[in-house]
Amino acid sequence: MRNAYISALYDLARNDKHILALVADNGAIVYDKFRQDFPEQFINFGISEANMVSVAAGLASCGKIPFAYTIACFVTMRAFEQIRNDVCLQKTNVKLVGVGAGFVYSNLGPTHHATKDIAIMRVLPNMTIFSPASPLEARKVTFAAAQVNGPVYIRLATGGTPEIYKNDYEFKVGRGITLKEGTDISIIATGGIIHEVISAVKTLEDSGISVRLINIHTIKPIDKDIILRAAFETGVILTVEEHSILGGLGSLVAEVLLENNTFPIRFKRLGLNDVFPSGYGSYQDMKEMNGLSKNDIIGEVKVLFENKKDKALLLNLNRHKRGVRLWS
Amino acid sequence: MLNLQTKAKELRKAILKTICKGVGGHIPASLSIVEILTALYYNNILNFTPKKTDDPQRDRFILSKGHACVALYAVLADKGFFDKGYLNTFGRRGSILGGHPDMHKIPGIEASTGALGHGFPFGVGIALAGKWDKKNYRVFVLLGDGECQEGSVWEAALFAPQHKLDNLTVIIDYNKLQAMDRLDKIISLDPLFDKWKAFGWEVREVDGHDISELTEILKSVPFVSGKPNLIIAHTIKGKGVSFMENVPIWHFRLPNIEEREKICRELGSDTFEEIPE
C-alpha cells in the first residue's frame, strides 16, 4: 500500500511541480527514485513532525500541494495542534499521510501503533479522511487527495498489503464500495483489516450466512446511504476496524444509524476495546492477540445473527422493501 | 514628513482605546511591539500594498505572538487595509477583529496565530517557497520571548539555517516578562543571543524602542548571505504607560477608571475617545 502511494505521488509530482513530498526522517529506499528525479520537490524534515506540518501549511499558503508523510501515530498526534490550527482552521491545502495504520508495525509495540487516529482526525472540521484497503485503492485515494481543495488525511497500512480488487472500479470520494452483496448481515470495515474480514466472510458463506461486505475508503465525508441501505436491507451490522471502538468507524456508523430511524437495529463494533494493542509478533499474531482475527469476526457475526430480529425491525425492513424512504 | 515618534504614540492610544472598548485583551504585550511595527510598516522596510493583499511579490509579516494583535490591527487600520471604524468593534459580536487574528477575516493578516509556536514555522514555509520559486519577497516573523519556551520554535530554528533561508528575519520581542512572572523566574532564555547563534542564525541585538536603530538593522537584512536573520529587540512590556511597564499582573488586565485617567495624563486626553468612522 505504501509503495502504491509513493508511486502515485511520483506520477502526480511529475505532472505538477507544486506537488511536494515531505517526510520526517522515514522512507529510506522507498523514496529514492522520487528524490533522485524530483529533488526540488522533496524535503526531509528530520524528526520534527510538528515543524513539518506547520511548514507544510506555510508552503500550501503559497500554492504548493505538500504531502506530509510519516508514521501514522506521529503525524496525527505529535502534530495534532498544528493540524488543527495551521491546516484545518486556516484551511491550508495540506495532505497528511500516515503509514502504519493499526498495529501493522507488529513487533514495534504500541508507541508506533495508530489506533486512535481516525477518532482524532474526524473531529476536525474541514478534514477529508481516506482509509484505503489495498494498493489499488491507495493509488486512487492519493490522486483524489490531490484534487480535494483542502486538508486531507490518508491512513495507509504498509508495504505487503494484499490486493482485494480483481478489477478496476470507479472511485468516488465519500462513496463506499459494496465488495459483496448479502442479505443476512452487513459487515462494514475500513483499511487493511478488510483482508481478514474477507477470509471470515468466505467461511460464513460456507455455513449458510449471507454476508454483505462494505468497504469504507472515505471515513469523512461518510457514505450515509450505503450504511442505511445495509441497515434497512439486512437489519444487522458489524463494524470492523484496526482502531479503538471509541470514536472510529464503529462510532461513526452508530451515529448514522441512531439518527436515521434504524432502531432497533442489531449492531456491534469490533475493534480494540479501549485498550492499547498488546504483544509482539507478526501482523497475523497481532490480529489474533488483539481480537481482530478471522475467528473473532466469525464469532461476533454468529452472536449477532443468532438474536432474532424483533417485530419493529422487521417492520422497518418490510417498509424499506416496499420503497418507503426511511431517511433523508 | 511623518514623525515616527508621534506615530508610535498614536498607535499606543489606538491600542488602549481598542482593547478597553472591546472588554479585554493583552495591553502590555501589544505596547511592547509598537516601535518594531512602526519601523516595519512606516519606515520603508516592508513591501506591501494595502489594497492588494494577495500580491505574490509582497513581503510577509507574521505576528507569531498573536495575542499582541491589537497593535497590528491599529497599524493595518491606519495604513488602509481596512476601515478604522472596525477598531471600535474589537472583540464584539460580529466583528472581524478578535483577540487573536483571523487570516480569513482580516486583510493584511498572513496567519491565524494565537497558539504560540505556530506562526514562526508557518513563516518558515513561506520563506522556503520563496527560495524555491526564486521570488524576491522577504518574510518577517515577530516572536514573543515566552513563546520561545515552546518546543516547536526550536524545531523551526533548527530547520531554517539548514535550508539557508536568508529571506527570513525573526524578531524577538524580548520584554523578559510572561503571563505569570518574569521569564527568568520561570524558564530563563539566557543566553538568548548565544542560543540562536549556536543554531546557525546570524544574530543582532537592538533597542526595541529606538525606531532608527530598528530601521537600520532591518534595512540590512540579510546580514550574511545564506543564513537566516535573528534580531533580539530589547523591549519593555507595557512600554508607554508608566504603571504597566515591567509589571507582570498587567498581562491580561484592563485599567479601571482611575487608571484610565492616569493613562490620559500620560498619552493624551483623547486616548479613550471613539475612533471616527
Side-chain angles (χ1 to χ4, degrees):
Chain A
M1 222 196 264
R2 174 206 49 207
N3 296 351
Y5 157 74
I6 294 175
S7 146
L9 190 64
Y10 182 97
D11 292 341
L12 283 167
R14 184 180 41 205
N15 293 324
D16 184 355
K17 292 289 158 222
H18 295 103
I19 298 275
L20 305 176
L22 278 48
V23 303
D25 202 36
N26 40 20
I29 301 168
V30 290
Y31 270 96
D32 280 354
K33 186 165 195 291
F34 193 107
R35 283 161 64 187
Q36 204 177 316
D37 294 351
F38 312 122
E40 309 234 307
Q41 288 167 258
F42 177 88
I43 332 168
N44 183 353
F45 278 79
I47 313 171
S48 302
E49 295 83 0
N51 190 50
M52 176 170 73
V53 174
S54 286
V55 173
L59 288 165
S61 78
C62 296
K64 307 288 181 196
I65 309 174
F67 280 72
Y69 164 107
T70 182
I71 293 175
C73 54
F74 302 146
V75 76
T76 53
M77 297 187 191
R78 204 91 194 205
F80 185 70
E81 190 179 275
Q82 282 72 15
I83 299 173
R84 171 184 174 266
N85 290 1
D86 306 335
V87 179
C88 292
L89 179 63
Q90 295 186 116
K91 295 186 212 158
T92 46
N93 198 22
V94 174
K95 321 298 174 183
L96 303 148
V97 183
V99 69
F103 37 70
V104 85
Y105 287 137
S106 55
N107 64 356
L108 292 184
T111 59
H112 281 57
H113 296 157
T115 52
K116 293 140 195 64
D117 53 318
I118 297 178
I120 62 174
M121 287 293 103
R122 84 178 177 93
V123 82
L124 293 173
N126 307 317
M127 177 63 81
T128 299
I129 303 174
F130 293 126
S131 171
S134 79
L136 174 64
E137 202 153 73
R139 184 174 175 80
K140 287 178 184 296
V141 307
T142 306
F143 278 98
Q147 294 299 315
V148 168
N149 183 18
V152 176
Y153 170 55
I154 302 176
R155 179 184 210 245
L156 298 175
T158 183
T161 320
E163 187 53 63
I164 60 168
Y165 293 102
K166 290 197 186 65
N167 308 306
D168 203 354
Y169 67 91
E170 198 197 352
F171 178 91
K172 281 220 164 88
V173 174
R175 182 96 70 78
I177 308 279
T178 304
L179 292 173
K180 187 193 157 297
E181 287 292 353
T183 51
D184 290 330
I185 176 171
S186 299
I187 303 182
I188 304 179
T190 189
I193 197 73
I194 278 209
H195 192 70
E196 196 75 11
V197 181
I198 290 173
S199 238
V201 168
K202 286 202 179 87
T203 307
L204 288 164
E205 290 280 328
D206 289 342
S207 69
I209 302 179
S210 167
V211 180
R212 178 181 303 194
L213 177 52
I214 294 170
N215 170 31
I216 298 291
H217 55 55
T218 309
I219 302 266
K220 188 174 185 185
I222 190 65
D223 186 346
K224 269 174 50 182
D225 265 20
I226 206 174
I227 293 172
L228 293 172
R229 263 187 288 112
F232 288 114
E233 287 167 15
T234 67
V236 188
I237 294 190
L238 174 71
T239 61
V240 181
E241 59 195 306
E242 208 173 317
H243 188 276
S244 170
I245 57 170
L246 302 177
L249 175 71
S251 296
L252 173 52
V253 170
E255 289 159 21
V256 172
L257 294 174
L258 206 51
E259 286 190 334
N260 286 283
N261 302 313
T262 60
F263 187 78
I265 186 102
R266 296 249 76 85
F267 172 75
K268 180 88 194 279
R269 298 161 295 163
L270 182 62
L272 288 163
N273 223 329
D274 194 21
V275 288
F276 290 99
S278 75
Y280 310 100
S282 68
Y283 180 40
Q284 193 58 41
D285 290 329
M286 287 298 286
K287 285 187 270 192
E288 283 163 24
M289 292 187 293
N290 287 279
L292 278 166
S293 70
K294 163 184 168 179
N295 290 334
D296 295 305
I297 297 167
I298 291 169
E300 291 294 347
V301 167
K302 290 209 163 134
V303 168
L304 281 171
F305 191 64
E306 261 154 34
N307 291 303
K308 286 202 182 297
K309 296 175 188 176
D310 60 37
K311 278 205 186 117
L313 176 59
L314 287 171
L315 185 65
N316 266 349
L317 287 175
N318 287 327
R319 282 163 72 208
H320 177 71
K321 277 198 193 113
R322 286 197 324 267
V324 176
R325 178 90 161 151
L326 292 162
W327 73 94
S328 54
Chain B
M1 170 69 186
L2 178 64
N3 183 325
L4 295 173
Q5 314 291 351
T6 311
K7 181 54 70 180
K9 195 168 183 184
E10 260 175 51
L11 290 172
R12 290 199 153 86
K13 287 201 270 194
I15 288 168
L16 281 153
K17 176 176 344 227
T18 302
I19 291 180
C20 292
K21 189 151 199 292
V23 201
H26 297 82
I27 296 175
S30 309
L31 292 175
S32 64
I33 67 171
V34 168
E35 280 77 16
I36 296 169
L37 292 180
T38 306
L40 283 165
Y41 279 89
Y42 291 87
N43 221 4
N44 300 312
I45 303 291
L46 286 177
N47 170 25
F48 63 89
T49 314
K51 293 307 175 193
K52 228 185 145 220
T53 53
D54 58 356
D55 177 7
Q57 302 296 347
R58 70 191 189 278
D59 285 339
R60 270 80 157 173
F61 171 72
I62 292 175
L63 184 65
S64 195
K65 53 169 281 185
H67 56 286
C69 54
V70 174
L72 185 54
Y73 296 162
V75 168
L76 295 175
D78 190 47
K79 280 287 175 180
F81 280 82
F82 53 82
D83 198 275
K84 270 188 178 173
Y86 279 115
L87 292 173
N88 295 323
T89 68
F90 167 72
R92 302 265 179 193
R93 186 164 169 172
S95 178
I96 61 168
L97 302 179
H100 293 100
D102 186 333
M103 69 185 298
H104 292 299
K105 294 199 170 110
I106 309 168
I109 295 289
E110 302 282 355
S112 299
T113 52
L116 297 173
H118 287 253
F120 172 28
F122 190 86
V124 167
I126 298 177
L128 189 61
K131 275 283 168 200
W132 273 343
D133 295 343
K134 299 190 174 35
K135 293 233 163 82
N136 290 328
Y137 63 71
R138 288 102 45 87
V139 180
F140 294 84
V141 175
L142 184 47
L143 266 183
D145 51 5
E147 184 171 10
C148 291
Q149 292 167 353
E150 284 285 359
S152 58
V153 165
W154 299 99
E155 289 185 20
L158 283 170
F159 182 88
Q162 180 78 25
H163 291 266
K164 302 189 174 5
L165 300 178
D166 55 11
N167 56 348
L168 174 66
T169 301
V170 170
I171 306 159
I172 298 182
D173 173 28
Y174 200 20
N175 62 34
K176 303 180 193 65
L177 259 59
Q178 54 190 112
M180 285 190 66
D181 206 337
R182 297 183 55 84
L183 254 79
D184 56 24
K185 293 247 166 74
I186 301 176
I187 299 220
S188 173
L189 294 176
D190 286 334
L192 189 59
F193 186 108
D194 295 343
K195 285 185 170 70
W196 285 89
K197 179 160 184 248
F199 273 64
W201 293 65
E202 190 62 25
V203 190
R204 299 281 183 273
E205 287 187 89
V206 79
D207 175 349
H209 295 298
D210 184 329
I211 297 175
S212 350
E213 226 187 286
L214 281 161
T215 305
E216 206 188 300
I217 287 265
L218 288 164
K219 275 194 156 63
S220 64
V221 299
F223 304 134
V224 169
S225 168
K227 283 175 113 182
N229 312 286
L230 194 293
I231 300 173
I232 298 176
H234 290 275
T235 53
I236 294 173
K237 195 170 182 182
K239 173 86 174 168
V241 177
S242 61
F243 55 88
M244 286 188 184
E245 292 184 5
N246 278 322
V247 180
I249 195 69
W250 278 102
H251 178 73
F252 194 62
R253 241 182 83 118
L254 279 182
N256 60 29
I257 305 219
E258 245 178 57
E259 287 155 346
R260 289 186 200 206
E261 279 165 22
K262 273 197 214 152
I263 291 172
C264 284
R265 284 199 290 277
E266 291 186 15
L267 290 177
S269 54
D270 60 338
T271 301
F272 295 101
E273 275 168 23
E274 183 141 317
I275 295 157
E277 308 266 337

